């Protein structure tokens, strides 16, 4: 029932910008956090940026600090990722994630978007 719909991916030249958006539907309560992950060919999926629902605290991968900005609209259950000064190494499939935490690890629930391709190339 829960769906995450991503948009904004595409091809961009080095130094360019893209804005990814993710809209979550079917949620019955506010999630603990919303985030963006990415996975490049031959590499593990990695956390790019996350934002906590309560308080709005953000966390970024070192490789994107100062270039990417995550934001959210809790009322609309949307999360965006503004990507500036893009580099070829940013090329990956980007996934939207919604996460709910419980007291125990077994209670954690993740929802994932379908992924959107971001290609940075000249």
């Amino acid at each position: 029932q829960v769906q995450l719909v991503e948009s904004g991916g595409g091809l961009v030249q080095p130094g360019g910008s893209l804005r990814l958006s993710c809209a979550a539907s079917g949620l019955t309560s506010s999630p603990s956090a919303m985030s963006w992950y990415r996975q490049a060919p031959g590499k593990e999926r990695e956390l790019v940026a996350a934002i906590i629902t309560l308080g709005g605290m953000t966390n970024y991968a070192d490789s994107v600090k100062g270039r990417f900005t995550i934001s959210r609209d809790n009322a609309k259950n949307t999360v965006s990722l503004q990507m500036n000064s893009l580099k070829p190494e940013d090329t990956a499939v980007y996934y939207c994630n919604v996460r709910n935490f419980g007291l125990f690890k077994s209670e954690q629930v993740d929802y994932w978007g379908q992924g959107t391709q971001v290609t940075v190339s000249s």
Side-chain angles (χ1 to χ4, degrees):
Q1 191 173 66
V2 175
Q3 282 191 318
L4 306 182
V5 180
E6 298 152 308
S7 62
L11 174 65
V12 66
Q13 293 184 324
S17 298
L18 284 174
R19 185 177 181 87
L20 305 182
S21 296
C22 174
S25 63
L27 294 171
T28 58
S29 62
S30 297
S32 300
M34 302 184 77
S35 62
W36 289 93
Y37 286 73
R38 68 185 181 188
Q39 187 168 25
K43 301 185 67 176
E44 294 183 354
R45 186 175 299 186
E46 64 175 346
L47 177 66
V48 178
I51 185 164
I52 305 300
T53 301
L54 293 177
M57 181 180 178
T58 58
N59 188 38
Y60 297 91
D62 288 340
S63 60
V64 307
K65 286 182 178 178
R67 300 189 297 120
F68 292 10
T69 303
I70 189 170
S71 61
R72 86 279 187 263
D73 186 332
N74 290 340
K76 297 180 179 179
N77 285 327
T78 60
V79 62
S80 298
L81 184 69
Q82 179 66 46
M83 305 185 294
N84 299 325
S85 301
L86 284 162
K87 304 175 180 179
E89 50 263 43
D90 294 318
T91 296
V93 177
Y94 284 70
Y95 297 90
C96 179
N97 171 267
V98 170
R99 178 166 293 168
N100 290 320
F101 290 111
L103 182 61
F104 303 102
K105 184 177 180 179
S106 61
E107 297 177 318
Q108 179 176 306
V109 178
D110 281 343
Y111 302 101
W112 295 92
Q114 77 282 1
T116 184
Q117 177 70 48
V118 172
T119 302
V120 184
S121 177
S122 60

